[in-house]
Amino acid sequence: MSLPASRGEHLVDDRDDNGRLFTPYAPEEISLLFERFGFRSIGQWRDEDSLGRQGTSWYTLLFELQGQGTQRPIDQIETILNRDRKEATYKLALIRALAEIAMQEQRCAVWQGNKRVGVPIDRIAERWLLYYWPLMASKRGVPQSKAEGAERKPLKFRASLTALIETFEGQGQHGGLTAWHLARSSGRLDTAAQLMLRQALRDIIDAIRSGPVQYSGGALDSGPVFFYDATVRQVQMSSDLWREFSLLGHWIRDAVIVRWAELTGRFAYRQGVSSAEVLPLLLAQPEAERTTSHARQAFEAIGWNECAWSGKQLNTGFAVDHVIPFSLWGNNDLWNLVAADQRVNLNKSDKLPARELLWDRQPILMRGWEALRDCLPLAFDQQAEHLLGERLGRHGSWQTTLFARLSDAIEMTAVQRGVERWSPTKRLQ
């Protein structure tokens, strides 16, 4: 397609002397129009007028029509969010989990080599449990499907998850979500709670497999976009789709949460629950201050006395700081926690450590990990393995590997979120 880039003759209201209309279009505008209809731009160039007319030039665009039924991966996600039929909130929960895993646990993704990527279904189920806990703990009664809204049939995992929630009833906000998280991360769940947890996760996995994995993408001509491989217990998708989750995860997550609140409001109109009431439940997380208490106790037990960032001598009133700010990841894992001077911690606030600072303080970060792992081995290993995507060895260079993954995560977060970089002595963009 060739269109005028500039015209030599004088136009009045985009018309020449003969009254012919010449509406100017930017090549990017034309490209966007055609891409929305399934074309892919494969070339663009600009030439002077072949007839030698002064001031006239042309741009040429070359498009290729993609195969019938194909869509860009981001369009597939948009279709699932906004056009797929939804009898429950399952599809939204799956998309949210994949977006967050792509941002925070990308090493757990397995590249299959056949243009597919697999994500362990156990990791998706763990996130579902955190999403649905506050919703099911609410005294208002917040239905998560059309059938629940009509008081006909509960979700597959409501009974088992509710049973687990009831064991922590009265132990804080959102049905004791923080108390449960503390007990589990420190390996202090009693036998009965462990059995209930395993049953809830089994029921959640069954819901994931039989629901959103099977039906997400029903409004697409190409059909479902996810597949379950039982032999490796993975939810699989195209590598292009995983790429979108990795690059746009934080945008996708935010869009899903808003859409989820709206959908729940429609399901819950009989109960008088609005989307505005649902949104805080979808944003609920274990309380940051309480969930860092185990790290504080570990540092106090060994007499830790050096600020991780400044090297200052610490007193008993030190702060427990998140290397990757809680506001960015919502992550209280032990590998993400350090002991810091209170003033230094306030100065760092929600910023990411500068690259030079991180490498300069590498030795003290590693010593902190060793101390935390000695005090809380089960919790530390389980949490570190989520970041690593592999087992954490007892010997060898596990600290070096963990530091490399932490550094990668910080750099990726800085690029994707545009967060300010920080140092105790100067601030770096």
Side-chain angles (χ1 to χ4, degrees), residues 209-414:
R209 290 173 54 187
S210 60
V213 170
Q214 189 171 350
Y215 295 108
S216 292
L220 294 166
D221 293 336
S222 56
V225 298
F226 301 114
F227 311 89
Y228 180 67
D229 188 332
T231 59
V232 290
R233 294 177 59 81
Q234 292 175 1
V235 174
Q236 297 185 354
M237 70 209 79
S238 72
S239 56
D240 286 339
L241 187 58
W242 179 250
R243 177 179 177 274
E244 297 294 345
F245 282 121
S246 300
L247 294 175
L248 301 172
H250 60 287
W251 299 108
I252 294 170
R253 172 189 178 273
D254 292 349
V256 167
I257 290 173
V258 173
R259 186 75 179 88
W260 192 337
E262 292 173 347
L263 183 63
T264 299
R266 292 210 300 270
F267 291 156
Y269 75 93
R270 285 188 178 90
Q271 290 78 11
V273 178
S274 69
S275 58
E277 295 175 83
V278 176
L279 196 56
L281 300 177
L282 292 172
L283 294 171
Q285 298 188 60
E287 298 167 49
E289 186 174 345
R290 286 186 61 194
T291 50
T292 60
S293 61
H294 289 319
R296 175 179 293 281
Q297 291 167 9
F299 286 129
E300 289 174 342
I302 63 173
W304 191 273
N305 63 358
E306 183 179 356
C307 173
W309 301 126
S310 67
K312 289 183 177 181
Q313 187 82 11
L314 292 179
N315 55 36
T316 55
F318 67 88
V320 177
D321 180 49
H322 294 77
V323 180
I324 300 176
F326 186 82
S327 61
L328 296 179
W329 271 32
N331 184 293
N332 288 311
D333 289 352
L334 293 168
W335 56 262
N336 195 37
L337 303 176
V338 296
D341 177 83
Q342 286 193 354
R343 287 190 176 183
V344 172
N345 180 52
L346 287 173
N347 183 252
K348 177 175 177 285
S349 187
D350 291 336
K351 305 175 188 69
L352 289 166
R355 186 180 298 110
E356 296 87 347
L357 172 64
L358 191 69
W359 284 93
D360 180 64
R361 306 306 292 172
Q362 179 182 5
I364 194 170
L365 291 175
M366 289 183 172
R367 291 202 305 273
W369 289 338
E370 290 175 353
L372 291 172
R373 194 182 190 194
D374 287 343
C375 292
L376 299 162
L378 181 65
F380 189 94
D381 283 17
Q382 183 184 65
Q383 294 166 4
E385 286 163 9
H386 292 165
L387 181 70
L388 293 173
E390 60 188 35
R391 301 282 294 179
L392 191 68
R394 290 303 308 180
H395 306 288
S397 57
W398 67 266
Q399 300 100 324
T400 303
T401 303
L402 185 58
F403 181 83
R405 296 293 174 260
L406 172 63
S407 179
D408 289 346
I410 290 172
E411 295 302 322
M412 183 179 67
T413 304

Side-chain angles (χ1 to χ4, degrees), residues 201-219:
L201 289 173
R202 279 196 295 267
D203 291 345
I204 290 172
I205 287 171
D206 184 54
I208 294 170
R209 290 173 54 187
S210 60
V213 170
Q214 189 171 350
Y215 295 108
S216 292

Side-chain angles (χ1 to χ4, degrees), residues 16-281:
D16 67 7
D17 293 339
N18 297 317
R20 292 184 301 170
L21 180 66
F22 292 96
T23 303
Y25 290 99
E28 294 79 12
E29 183 180 4
I30 296 296
S31 292
L32 178 59
L33 175 65
F34 273 74
E35 286 173 21
R36 284 175 169 166
F37 284 96
F39 287 84
R40 181 170 63 97
S41 176
I42 58 176
Q44 176 180 326
W45 59 92
R46 181 166 174 162
D47 296 303
E48 297 303 315
D49 184 57
S50 60
L51 299 178
R53 288 172 290 189
Q54 190 69 27
T56 298
S57 61
W58 305 81
Y59 63 81
T60 302
L61 303 173
L62 184 60
F63 298 100
E64 180 181 54
L65 180 62
Q66 300 182 88
Q68 185 177 5
T70 61
Q71 273 190 309
R72 295 179 306 169
I74 192 64
D75 292 329
Q76 293 176 339
I77 296 172
E78 190 274 337
T79 296
I80 293 169
L81 294 183
N82 296 317
R83 291 191 293 238
D84 259 11
R85 181 180 177 186
K86 297 179 183 67
E87 299 293 327
T89 58
Y90 288 171
K91 292 177 181 177
L92 301 176
L94 177 59
I95 296 295
R96 177 180 176 180
L98 292 173
E100 291 184 354
I101 290 171
M103 288 190 296
Q104 302 176 8
E105 300 179 37
Q106 70 274 15
R107 298 292 301 185
C108 81
V110 180
W111 294 79
Q112 303 294 340
N114 57 355
K115 295 187 176 180
R116 279 195 186 180
V117 171
V119 176
I121 197 168
D122 295 327
R123 295 302 309 132
I124 299 172
E126 293 272 359
R127 289 186 178 267
W128 274 41
L129 189 143
L130 289 173
Y131 302 157
Y132 282 99
W133 185 298
L135 294 165
M136 294 186 177
S138 173
K139 301 301 183 183
R140 293 278 283 142
V142 185
Q144 288 300 291
S145 71
K146 187 179 292 186
E148 281 198 326
E151 300 180 351
R152 293 195 305 267
K153 184 180 179 181
L155 296 186
K156 289 185 177 182
F157 53 87
R158 182 175 283 275
S160 55
L161 181 52
T162 299
L164 178 62
I165 292 170
E166 287 174 350
T167 64
F168 292 90
E169 199 70 42
Q171 298 185 45
Q173 290 185 322
H174 306 302
L177 176 63
T178 301
W180 169 80
H181 180 78
L182 283 170
R184 191 187 184 196
S185 62
S186 61
R188 297 174 185 171
L189 280 181
D190 61 34
T191 302
Q194 290 179 30
L195 290 174
M196 285 186 280
L197 173 61
R198 285 198 287 270
Q199 184 60 54
L201 289 173
R202 279 196 295 267
D203 291 345
I204 290 172
I205 287 171
D206 184 54
I208 294 170
R209 290 173 54 187
S210 60
V213 170
Q214 189 171 350
Y215 295 108
S216 292
L220 294 166
D221 293 336
S222 56
V225 298
F226 301 114
F227 311 89
Y228 180 67
D229 188 332
T231 59
V232 290
R233 294 177 59 81
Q234 292 175 1
V235 174
Q236 297 185 354
M237 70 209 79
S238 72
S239 56
D240 286 339
L241 187 58
W242 179 250
R243 177 179 177 274
E244 297 294 345
F245 282 121
S246 300
L247 294 175
L248 301 172
H250 60 287
W251 299 108
I252 294 170
R253 172 189 178 273
D254 292 349
V256 167
I257 290 173
V258 173
R259 186 75 179 88
W260 192 337
E262 292 173 347
L263 183 63
T264 299
R266 292 210 300 270
F267 291 156
Y269 75 93
R270 285 188 178 90
Q271 290 78 11
V273 178
S274 69
S275 58
E277 295 175 83
V278 176
L279 196 56
L281 300 177

